[in-house]
Amino acid sequence: MEKVIAVLPGDGIGPEITDQAVKALKAIEKRFGHQFTFVYGIIGASAIDLCGDPYPPETHNLCLNSDAILFGAIGDPKYDNNPAAKIRPEQGLLKMRKELGLYANIRPVELFQSLIERSPLKEEKIRGVDLVVVRELTGGIYFGEPRGRSENGEKAFDTCLYSTFEIERIAEVAFKLAEKRRGHITLVDKANVLETSRLWREVVSRVHKQHYPTVTLDYLFVDNAAMQLVTNPAKFDVILTENMFGDILSDEASVLTGSIGLLPSASYGLKTPLFEPIHGSYPQAAGKNIANPLATILSSAMLLGEGLGLREEASLLKQCCIEIINERFLTPDLCGDAPPRTTSEVGDRISAAILS
Ligand code: IPM
Ligand code: MN
């Protein structure tokens, strides 16, 4: 199969971790006789440095002309504490998601048996955790207008806005996913306070009644959901939620399994699908060859399976990741008493396993 994969390494540890995912994809290509063309593009702080634009038109065209996008990480501390910065690296990622219409962000939180003791939760709490956060990705307070400052600069405002149409289409994604899983959705919102949340409840319950009677649906306020994610995480199957709640809850959910360095994600919508780890650019580790590449490698497994329809390839790649996790061939965040391995050693080991 011939496929074009856009690779956007981005900032911080982005280049190191995407290198490992590309290595793994090249091993899959070789083993299965495919032809993947990897085309690199710039995004984020590194793109601002090069051309002043965090998502330049060349990168957008590259994405449009590819079959799938593999993305590393975005962000640079020089912007974080500078509220006056007009152009920010994160705008690149947001613009890419928006312009490609990637409204459905899927963040699976899966437990690796051999890492149970790395979880910050007690074993009896963490056992059985297998959930997916379905996060709406192109609406809500991230994008709502108007936003800005009052004339004297003493007031600031953002707008949280959702339409029925936006809620319906993400609800469809969540219900279809739930049907293939344990058939349960928890809609997380703040309907006791926010009008947008009340619209979410209305629309999601209508979609439920009309089309998905076999799925069970319940509702949870986001503060309660944040608590239950640590007190009773195994109760969740599909968590459906709006953009910002999904951002926050998926970071919380990711550490349940031991490390944020393990969580992949996929974003689907109108144009080319995007695959990225959920973690950030971890600037303190950039260039040190210590960052965990597994979230990006697991994202590339999603890219193969769901993005390109190569199911056997995806499951082999995932299996190889599980093998090295079981062997404890891991970076310092997860290795425990086993010797710490470098980012590139982990990538090499996985590609060798694919080709063995
Ligand atoms: C994520 C990230 C992004 C987000 C940032 C980098 C803009 O935190 O993908 O979860 O908030 O969506
Ligand atoms: Mn986030």
Side-chain angles (χ1 to χ4, degrees):
M1 186 181 264
E2 283 183 29
K3 292 288 174 194
V4 178
I5 300 171
V7 184
L8 311 180
D11 306 323
I13 57 168
E16 298 156 61
I17 53 176
T18 42
D19 275 356
Q20 310 319 312
V22 169
K23 251 184 222 169
L25 289 169
K26 285 190 171 155
I28 291 283
E29 179 189 25
K30 193 161 168 198
R31 166 133 188 193
F32 289 85
H34 296 306
Q35 209 185 321
F36 297 154
T37 307
F38 299 93
V39 191
Y40 283 75
I42 56 171
I43 191 165
S46 45
I48 299 176
D49 291 343
L50 285 167
C51 70
D53 183 346
Y55 184 60
E58 299 75 41
T59 302
H60 184 56
N61 287 332
L62 163 63
C63 291
L64 288 178
N65 293 316
S66 302
D67 296 296
I69 306 160
L70 179 67
F71 167 69
I74 217 156
D76 188 303
K78 73 181 174 207
Y79 297 93
D80 292 347
N81 295 321
N82 176 11
K86 288 260 166 339
I87 306 176
R88 316 183 68 83
E90 290 78 6
Q91 288 163 349
L93 179 58
L94 298 179
K95 197 164 166 209
M96 170 165 68
R97 290 171 177 170
K98 189 74 171 176
E99 294 200 354
L100 297 172
L102 301 174
Y103 61 84
N105 183 220
I106 312 293
R107 299 186 160 185
V109 178
E110 251 177 84
L111 196 60
F112 296 96
Q113 288 305 323
S114 63
L115 290 179
I116 281 190
E117 91 278 9
R118 305 292 307 165
S119 171
L121 299 190
K122 294 196 190 80
E123 193 176 331
E124 69 262 24
K125 287 250 187 307
I126 190 73
R127 217 179 288 120
V129 167
D130 177 8
L131 64 92
V132 183
V133 178
V134 175
R135 169 186 175 195
E136 199 292 328
L137 202 59
T138 53
I141 202 162
Y142 270 59
F143 294 97
E145 295 288 348
R147 56 174 55 215
R149 289 286 176 103
S150 62
E151 246 163 57
N152 65 4
E154 296 298 315
K155 288 182 186 161
F157 51 96
D158 297 283
T159 301
C160 184
L161 193 137
Y162 270 110
S163 68
T164 300
F165 167 74
E166 288 175 300
I167 301 167
E168 260 167 15
R169 64 181 182 177
I170 187 76
E172 289 286 337
V173 172
F175 279 107
K176 290 206 170 76
L177 185 65
E179 280 183 328
K180 287 193 266 166
R181 293 174 48 91
R182 301 194 304 280
H184 186 69
I185 293 188
T186 306
L187 173 63
V188 172
D189 61 29
K190 190 73 185 172
N192 49 348
V193 176
L194 300 176
E195 197 56 40
T196 41
S197 288
R198 292 191 275 272
L199 184 64
W200 271 78
R201 280 203 186 197
E202 212 176 285
V203 174
V204 172
S205 86
R206 187 168 67 229
V207 172
H208 177 223
K209 284 197 196 94
Q210 284 176 346
H211 305 292
Y212 301 94
T214 60
V215 175
T216 53
L217 168 68
D218 63 15
Y219 308 94
L220 219 48
F221 296 142
V222 63
D223 45 353
N224 189 353
M227 178 186 70
Q228 293 202 33
L229 264 175
V230 289
T231 54
N232 191 8
K235 75 169 252 179
F236 295 103
D237 180 13
V238 175
I239 293 178
L240 167 61
T241 191
E242 61 100 68
N243 203 344
M244 188 151 81
F245 297 158
D247 178 47
I248 298 168
L249 293 181
S250 58
D251 265 36
E252 185 189 1
S254 76
V255 293
L256 298 176
T257 59
S259 168
I260 192 172
L262 282 176
L263 228 78
S265 88
S267 304
Y268 308 104
L270 309 179
K271 297 189 174 129
T272 320
L274 166 69
F275 300 85
E276 53 171 312
I278 84 141
H279 60 68
S281 60
Y282 192 12
Q284 306 86 325
K288 294 194 182 147
N289 206 13
I290 57 168
N292 188 346
L294 281 171
T296 318
I297 299 176
L298 288 164
S299 300
S300 68
M302 292 182 89
L303 181 155
L304 288 168
E306 287 143 47
L308 304 179
L310 302 172
R311 305 277 164 191
E312 196 188 335
E313 290 80 341
S315 89
L316 176 68
L317 176 48
K318 194 163 169 198
Q319 200 46 49
C320 293
C321 292
I322 293 173
E323 258 169 46
I324 68 138
I325 291 172
N326 291 342
E327 279 172 32
R328 288 285 163 139
F329 198 95
L330 297 165
T331 42
D333 54 317
L334 279 179
C335 66
D337 298 334
R341 308 294 178 172
T342 64
T343 310
S344 52
E345 279 173 334
V346 171
D348 289 341
R349 182 83 157 205
I350 290 177
S351 30
I354 292 167
L355 292 169
S356 68

